[in-house]
């Protein structure tokens, strides 16, 4: 029992001091989305039957170089937690540990969980399992919104603003000349990234660029961990017309009333032509009916003298 009592104290020492114990460190990496559940694998490679009363199992993280226990298996096969952050979110299975699977199930992943977790299994002062699992955490950014404030035709410089929220890790931001898909000079942009109350990143990027006719720029938010690029373009009608701010993708810039009508499609034009044609047909039919009615009435008047002559015979 003295050995059992001493082991918890050993595990509070810096990790390098435990290097004298056997078992080389294995290193793995795993990714998880914010809010999801993830399993950190820790399995003994050869044995499949373990007496838990002879084992100490520790999952630890390092905080400023000092090991902090997330969860552990101690004497009498008792599972406990030293860190309130993981009290209701970290779990090991007693049944699986008896078969040599000491994996840790972590629930409701948060950005603060992005760190290295050490799995240590000790039996009779011998480290029989030593696995380091690096957890990478990610969250999707919202679709960027690109806007441009009202400006007069005399303005020589335009200011575009791009915003995106609730992503992780910190993003990379690019501004693109959509005319030739070239990257704009970073000196023209100023990006601010901040942590929100959820521990996720919000980004606001401002682009100031010289006015040119039919300008079309795009804002790209890149999540390197997810290999994800979110790009939105914004076209602005310039050269004397009223400036417009367009959110989302657009490949055409309206130039006037005729152009706007064209953008609505040919369906409206066809309906107008059909309507005019139908009206003309109705007018022609009414006119021909009116002429036919007058002709028929004249014939009846011409036949009346013959009827009267017949009555006198």
């Amino acid at each position: 029992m003295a050995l059992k009592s001493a082991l918890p104290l050993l595990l509070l020492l810096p990790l390098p001091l435990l290097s004298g114990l056997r078992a080389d460190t294995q290193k793995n990496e795993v990714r998880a989305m914010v809010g999801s559940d993830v399993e950190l694998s820790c399995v003994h490679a050869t044995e499949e039957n373990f007496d838990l009363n002879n084992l100490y199992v520790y999952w630890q993280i390092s905080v400023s170089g000092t090991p902090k226990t997330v969860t552990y298996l101690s004497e009498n096969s008792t599972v406990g937690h030293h860190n309130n952050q993981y009290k209701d979110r970290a779990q090991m299975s007693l049944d699986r540990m008896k078969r040599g699977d000491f994996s840790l199930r972590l629930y409701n992943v948060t950005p603060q969980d992005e760190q290295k977790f050490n799995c240590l299994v000790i039996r009779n002062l011998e480290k029989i399992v030593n696995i380091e699992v690096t957890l990478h955490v990610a969250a999707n950014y919202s679709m960027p919104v690109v806007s441009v404030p009202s400006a007069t035709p005399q303005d020589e410089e335009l200011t575009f603003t791009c915003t995106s929220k609730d992503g992780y890790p910190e993003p990379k931001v690019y501004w693109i000349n959509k005319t030739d898909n070239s990257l704009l000079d970073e000196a023209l942009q100023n990006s601010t990234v901040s942590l929100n109350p959820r521990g996720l990143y919000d980004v606001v990027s401002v682009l100031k660029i010289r006015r040119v006719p039919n300008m079309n720029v795009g804002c790209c938010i890149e999540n390197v961990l997810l290999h994800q690029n979110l790009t939105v373009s914004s076209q602005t009608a310039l050269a004397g017309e009223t400036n417009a701010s367009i959110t989302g993708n657009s490949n055409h810039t309206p130039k006037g009333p005729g152009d706007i009508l064209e953008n609505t499609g040919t369906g409206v034009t066809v309906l107008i032509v059909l309507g005019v044609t139908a009206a003309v047909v109705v007018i022609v039919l009414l006119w021909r009916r009116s002429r036919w009615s007058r002709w028929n009435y004249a014939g009846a008047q011409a036949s009346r003298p013959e009827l009267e002559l017949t009555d006198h015979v």
Side-chain angles (χ1 to χ4, degrees):
M1 187 63 65
L3 177 60
K4 286 281 188 178
S5 302
L7 283 173
L9 298 178
L10 288 175
L11 270 298
L12 295 178
L13 295 175
L15 295 179
L17 297 182
L18 296 175
S19 59
L21 301 178
R22 295 174 54 188
D24 295 331
T25 302
Q26 301 178 32
K27 295 185 178 181
N28 299 321
E29 294 189 8
V30 71
R31 297 178 183 178
M33 301 295 290
V34 170
S36 69
D37 303 334
V38 65
E39 182 170 284
L40 309 183
S41 179
C42 180
V43 180
H44 194 281
T46 57
E47 296 185 46
E48 295 183 355
N49 294 293
F50 287 87
D51 182 0
L52 300 186
N53 290 321
N54 295 329
L55 294 180
Y56 271 99
V57 181
Y58 287 84
W59 275 95
Q60 294 182 315
I61 58 176
S62 179
V63 179
S64 301
T66 302
K68 300 292 184 181
T69 300
V70 173
T71 186
Y72 62 89
L73 173 73
S74 62
E75 56 186 337
N76 301 322
S77 301
T78 302
V79 176
H81 301 82
H82 280 169
N83 193 320
N84 289 332
Q85 178 182 352
Y86 295 100
K87 184 176 181 181
D88 297 319
R89 297 197 300 119
Q91 182 179 6
M92 294 186 297
S93 169
L94 292 175
D95 289 336
R96 291 173 63 180
M97 283 191 282
K98 293 176 182 178
R99 300 191 299 270
D101 186 348
F102 308 98
S103 300
L104 178 69
R105 188 73 176 175
L106 188 60
Y107 298 92
N108 191 22
V109 171
T110 70
Q112 293 72 30
D113 295 327
E114 183 170 77
Q115 53 193 312
K116 295 179 179 179
F117 292 77
N118 282 89
C119 173
L120 302 173
V121 181
I122 299 175
R123 180 172 58 189
N124 299 327
L125 274 182
E126 179 184 355
K127 191 191 305 181
I128 61 174
V129 176
N130 184 14
I131 297 178
E132 178 184 277
V133 182
T134 300
L135 175 59
H136 299 285
V137 178
N140 290 310
Y141 280 89
S142 64
M143 184 61 68
V145 176
V146 177
S147 61
V148 56
S150 300
T152 63
Q154 292 75 28
D155 290 343
E156 296 183 356
E157 184 179 74
L158 287 179
T159 301
F160 292 87
T161 302
C162 176
T163 59
S164 184
K165 299 179 179 180
D166 294 329
Y168 197 90
E170 189 170 339
K172 291 185 177 180
V173 183
Y174 308 97
W175 284 93
I176 304 169
N177 181 352
K178 298 297 288 183
T179 303
D180 56 7
N181 286 326
S182 62
L183 293 178
L184 295 173
D185 190 350
E186 291 185 4
L188 301 175
Q189 57 187 277
N190 181 25
S191 299
T192 302
V193 179
S194 59
L195 278 173
N196 61 30
R198 296 180 56 197
L200 304 176
Y201 286 106
D202 297 338
V203 58
V204 177
S205 184
V206 178
L207 173 72
K208 293 186 177 182
I209 191 169
R210 183 175 59 87
R211 165 194 291 271
V212 295
N214 300 321
M215 177 175 291
N216 184 17
V217 298
C219 174
C220 176
I221 305 296
E222 181 183 12
N223 190 320
V224 177
L225 185 61
L226 296 178
H227 305 289
Q228 181 185 70
N229 292 319
L230 301 176
T231 304
V232 172
S233 65
S234 177
Q235 288 187 329
T236 305
L238 302 175
E241 289 84 9
T242 302
N243 292 310
S245 175
I246 303 174
T247 300
N249 292 317
S250 175
N251 295 318
H252 184 71
T253 303
K255 298 177 182 178
D259 196 30
I260 294 175
L261 178 61
E262 181 182 354
N263 286 340
T264 62
T266 58
V268 175
T269 303
V270 171
L271 290 176
I272 294 176
V273 172
L274 291 176
V276 172
T277 303
V280 171
V281 171
V282 170
I283 292 174
V284 170
L285 290 176
L286 291 175
W287 177 75
R288 292 186 63 181
R289 180 179 178 181
S290 176
R291 289 193 58 189
W292 180 83
S293 298
R294 289 198 301 270
W295 178 84
N296 188 52
Y297 180 76
Q301 291 289 341
S303 65
R304 287 186 63 186
E306 296 179 3
L307 293 174
E308 292 176 353
L309 289 174
T310 301
D311 293 339
H312 286 288
V313 173

